[in-house]
Amino acid sequence: MNRIGHWINNKVVLGNSGRSGVVFNPATGEEQAKVDFASVAELDAVVAASKAALPAWRATSLSRRAEIMFRMRELVDANRKEIANIISLEHGKVPADAMGELARGLENIEFACGIPALMKGGYSEQAAGGVDVYSIRQPLGVVAGITPFNFPAMVPMWMYPLAIACGNVFILKPSEKVPLTAIRLAELFIEAGLPEGVFNIVHGGAEVVDALCTHPGIAAVSFVGSSKVAAHVYALGAQHGKRVQAGGGAKNFQIVMDDAEPDSTIRAILGASFGCAGQRCMAGSVLLGVGPAGDPLQKRMVAAMDALKVDDTSANPAAEMGPVIDDSSRKRVLGFISNAKLLRDGRTGIPSRGFFVGPTLVDGMATPEEIFGPVLSLLKPASLDEAIALANRSAFGNGATLFTTSGKHARQFTRDIQCGMVGINVGVPAPMSIFPFAGWNQSFFGDLHMQGTEGVQFYTRQRVVLSRWDAAYRRQQGW
């Protein structure tokens, strides 16, 4: 069986802890690889390699860093199909979802290509008598990223292209369930010209997460995962003097008015709720049909879900939805379904092998928790005011969408909904790379979000320099 090691100084290094995890093919349920888990001592070695690479990389010119990012962008683009196939193999998502994930990841590399402009400081001449003041941005040093299984390429790309372009060295701990994509992208970084030690990968579970949050050699930690673990990472990292940004889970609301365009609305809801088998923090998990929109919406959704093709994409290229990541996830999702009043049962009409759960529609709120699977709750509030109030009671605050042709309703929704990312007739309102991924409440812990200029601010610190060169400062004081 294939064995996946760590990535240190631009090569694979097999682990010696004696511990490992299994990488499944979620569409078949078969084991396809073993991934080595790092010990604390092995993490120390990774941090040491990163620290050794830092001085030279920090001294590398902005234009050279940008050149490497441009090359990386071209290499990822040229190898899209291969990388998407790896994503589908280890995650189970359909090729269209895998290609879409890569496209969003590429946007972040493209943004990092603009690092010479993004790192510009400010200058004020004669800020005081004979004194000039300027500010510069400098890298933090060794920074780490801890990423989830649901986006093996995109979520790490929220972090490491910008962190590295800013002059930091980066340690990635991908989900132990999807290590293959990270290693392939690391190989492309060699072709792009990235020096040894600037980008390292370490595998493991909770022990490695805690070690990254407490290691004295690491200056900052970026995290995406469940809200429970995000809160833990934020608290633990902050207690140990680190800068932390931690994205958590969500409960995202989709509100449909009776004036919404019907066909495009259904297509958007299907993609938002069942793309990636519902395993994403921007998945539309609660559907609100307002007033007279409720009953027709229910009928159309059931018909559309019945028509959705759920299968192994390697065996059936026409499949529109794949499996969940592993058997424990499947059992957890089925547990929610078994306790719900169902309008459409996702336990039928699915492949007999693999970790499949079909698209499921629940009458009422299945749970206030994040399910992280293809389960959509349907509610029928009487008015937009009631729908917004329902959504605002959620503890989370990632995204919400309104489907309407009314500018009045769109404006009210945009102003009153309590979340960080808002869509108007957009199923998944996840921002492009020039904007921050701006979760609120229990969906984000920290101050500076990932992506955009907030990402630059997170991965750098500002220095202000005051200088005085006039003759007056040299006057004799008499002592």
Side-chain angles (χ1 to χ4, degrees):
M1 182 177 291
N2 190 22
R3 181 179 174 187
I4 309 299
H6 312 296
W7 183 266
I8 308 172
N9 285 333
N10 283 3
K11 61 181 180 292
V12 173
V13 176
L14 297 178
N16 57 30
S17 71
R19 294 181 293 108
S20 64
V22 177
V23 181
F24 290 96
N25 179 337
T28 65
E30 297 170 347
E31 296 184 10
Q32 58 178 321
K34 296 278 190 182
V35 57
D36 291 342
F37 284 5
S39 64
V40 173
E42 287 174 296
L43 178 60
D44 287 340
V46 175
V47 175
S50 300
K51 291 178 74 172
L54 178 61
W57 182 245
R58 177 180 173 178
T60 301
S61 69
L62 290 170
S63 59
R64 173 61 179 160
R65 294 183 216 160
E67 179 185 358
I68 291 172
M69 288 300 157
F70 273 112
R71 288 180 179 174
M72 183 63 172
R73 190 260 174 219
E74 291 306 308
L75 287 164
V76 173
D77 186 44
N79 291 276
R80 277 194 201 216
K81 187 173 181 180
E82 177 203 353
I83 301 168
N85 286 339
I86 295 172
I87 293 170
S88 292
L89 184 66
E90 66 179 348
H91 177 277
K93 66 177 64 177
V94 300
D97 284 347
M99 292 293 280
E101 169 182 351
L102 268 180
R104 280 303 185 93
L106 276 168
E107 289 179 9
N108 283 272
I109 300 178
E110 291 165 356
F111 184 76
C113 290
I115 199 63
L118 294 169
M119 289 285 280
K120 285 176 66 177
Y123 191 98
S124 293
E125 182 184 30
Q126 199 69 359
V131 177
D132 301 330
V133 182
Y134 66 93
S135 64
I136 55 177
R137 290 205 165 271
Q138 296 183 319
L140 301 177
V142 181
V143 299
I146 303 165
T147 57
F149 70 81
N150 56 335
F151 288 98
M154 184 189 73
V155 172
M157 287 180 180
W158 286 353
M159 302 173 187
Y160 64 75
L162 197 52
I164 291 171
C166 287
N168 302 285
V169 292
F170 195 92
I171 300 171
L172 174 64
K173 195 217 84 68
S175 168
E176 64 278 12
K177 299 177 183 180
V178 290
L180 303 172
T181 303
I183 296 294
R184 182 66 186 111
L185 289 167
E187 292 171 347
L188 292 181
F189 251 143
I190 297 178
E191 294 183 50
L194 193 69
E196 290 185 3
V198 175
F199 179 60
N200 294 312
I201 299 173
V202 61
H203 303 294
E207 180 184 9
V208 175
V209 170
D210 286 355
L212 288 167
C213 292
T214 58
H215 199 289
I218 294 174
V221 176
S222 300
F223 172 87
V224 174
S226 70
S227 290
K228 178 180 178 181
V229 182
H232 170 74
V233 167
Y234 179 72
L236 187 61
Q239 286 168 10
H240 287 82
K242 304 189 190 317
R243 187 177 292 188
V244 184
Q245 53 181 192
K251 200 76 175 175
N252 303 305
F253 291 76
Q254 303 174 97
I255 301 176
V256 180
M257 304 300 294
D258 64 346
D259 62 357
E261 199 288 314
D263 291 339
S264 62
T265 297
I266 296 297
R267 284 197 303 272
I269 294 168
L270 282 177
S273 302
F274 306 117
C276 200
Q279 300 170 112
R280 53 188 179 194
C281 63
M282 289 296 287
S285 52
V286 183
L287 180 60
L288 305 174
V290 177
D295 292 338
L297 179 64
Q298 176 181 324
K299 293 177 182 178
R300 290 175 63 86
M301 281 302 304
V302 170
M305 292 162 70
D306 285 341
L308 201 64
K309 298 180 180 66
V310 181
D311 206 350
D312 174 4
T313 56
S314 64
N316 180 7
E320 297 170 295
M321 193 185 98
V324 295
I325 189 65
D326 57 21
D327 193 49
S328 63
S329 293
R330 183 180 68 88
K331 289 176 178 176
R332 178 180 49 78
V333 174
L334 291 177
F336 284 111
I337 294 174
S338 64
N339 293 317
K341 180 180 178 183
L342 300 181
L343 300 171
R344 203 267 176 195
D345 192 342
R347 295 171 293 186
T348 60
I350 55 176
S352 58
R353 68 172 188 166
F355 309 129
F356 286 91
V357 180
T360 300
L361 188 64
V362 173
D363 186 4
M365 182 72 78
T367 173
E369 303 172 35
E370 181 181 47
I371 296 176
F372 223 62
V375 179
L376 179 62
S377 297
L378 176 63
L379 289 79
K380 300 174 183 178
S383 66
L384 179 57
D385 287 339
E386 183 182 341
I388 292 172
L390 281 168
N392 287 348
R393 285 201 287 269
S394 172
F396 301 103
N398 252 7
T401 286
L402 178 70
F403 295 96
T404 185
T405 55
S406 165
K408 174 186 175 182
H409 290 152
R411 187 173 188 273
Q412 176 189 353
F413 177 75
T414 302
R415 288 172 59 86
D416 293 347
I417 198 73
Q418 295 298 302
C419 67
M421 292 167 281
V422 176
I424 304 297
N425 300 318
V426 175
V428 182
M432 290 69 180
S433 62
I434 57 175
F435 293 99
F437 193 87
W440 287 8
N441 306 330
Q442 294 296 304
S443 293
F444 182 75
F445 300 84
D447 296 310
L448 294 169
H449 295 87
M450 297 158 207
Q451 292 198 150
T453 55
E454 286 196 35
V456 177
Q457 293 171 35
F458 180 80
Y459 288 122
T460 59
R461 52 186 172 187
Q462 194 164 215
R463 173 171 290 172
V464 179
V465 180
L466 291 80
S467 61
R468 183 174 185 178
W469 298 105
D470 62 310
Y473 89 102
R474 295 183 296 176
R475 63 185 180 273
Q476 295 296 315
Q477 297 297 325
W479 52 68

